[in-house]
Amino acid sequence: ISSDFVDKLIAVGATVFCKDKSSAELAKEKAVLVQNRNKIYTVTDALIIRDRKKFWTEYHKALGRGVLAEDVYYTLLWQVKNMLLVYNTRSSEEAGMATYPWTKTKRAMTKYKKEEVERLSSRLLHIWHDAHKYGRELPLLLEYFTLTI
């Protein structure tokens, strides 16, 4: 079993038993991957404040920490969905969201018009199709997205 395969299994929370690594080493690697996964929200924070330079930088930091481009994509999609919910609702309860992300997104919405958020959603959908239907590289498509917000 290659170490990359083991790392991917650990990243998705699988329990892996390997002759080469002790369970303590695997637990340590899993903890580091979970920490890195939690830092992915710095990318969405840069998106909602519309800071192109920070968005690009945080995107590359996330990739450098071993976060998969697909994870970044889904996190960005989640944030854009939240932005649309905030535009279309008056409270976190009405949106079905926790108070903190709704309030955080609401404060940042001064940077975007509703039409722009809808365009972001559409662009993310096109990115997914370009990557999976036409075989284009998702990391490069997301990088272009970060540079054009």
Side-chain angles (χ1 to χ4, degrees):
I1 299 175
S2 72
S3 63
D4 288 340
F5 181 70
V6 171
D7 291 341
K8 287 179 182 177
L9 287 174
I10 292 170
V12 297
T15 303
V16 178
F17 299 99
C18 184
K19 293 178 183 178
D20 299 339
K21 294 184 180 185
S22 70
S23 60
E25 289 173 327
L26 291 172
K28 183 179 176 184
E29 285 182 11
K30 183 177 178 181
V32 168
L33 287 168
V34 167
Q35 275 182 332
N36 287 342
R37 201 177 323 146
N38 290 338
K39 292 180 184 176
I40 198 169
Y41 295 105
T42 59
V43 178
T44 60
D45 291 345
L47 170 67
I48 62 174
I49 63 170
R50 205 172 193 161
D51 184 339
R52 186 179 299 153
K53 183 178 178 182
K54 184 175 180 180
F55 189 26
W56 183 85
T57 304
E58 293 299 331
Y59 171 67
H60 280 281
K61 283 181 184 178
L63 293 180
R65 287 191 300 265
V67 175
L68 299 174
E70 286 83 4
D71 292 338
V72 174
Y73 173 82
Y74 283 119
T75 307
L76 291 172
L77 191 63
W78 167 81
Q79 183 61 61
V80 170
K81 178 197 73 140
N82 285 350
M83 293 163 76
L84 287 169
L85 278 172
V86 165
Y87 262 119
N88 293 316
T89 58
R90 294 183 183 184
S91 69
S92 61
E93 293 81 22
E94 184 182 349
M97 293 173 61
T99 304
Y100 176 73
W102 191 88
T103 307
K104 184 177 180 181
T105 304
K106 181 75 173 173
R107 279 194 309 256
M109 292 312 297
T110 59
K111 304 281 184 172
Y112 290 95
K113 296 177 184 171
K114 185 176 181 180
E115 297 78 27
E116 292 173 317
V117 178
E118 290 169 346
R119 241 177 310 189
L120 288 176
S121 178
S122 176
R123 288 181 58 207
L124 283 171
L125 179 65
H126 287 289
I127 285 171
W128 185 257
H129 285 279
D130 285 350
H132 290 86
K133 187 175 181 181
Y134 301 113
R136 296 190 179 108
E137 293 188 33
L138 184 60
L140 294 177
L141 294 169
L142 287 174
E143 181 170 9
Y144 181 75
F145 179 76
T146 65
L147 296 170
T148 57
I149 61 163

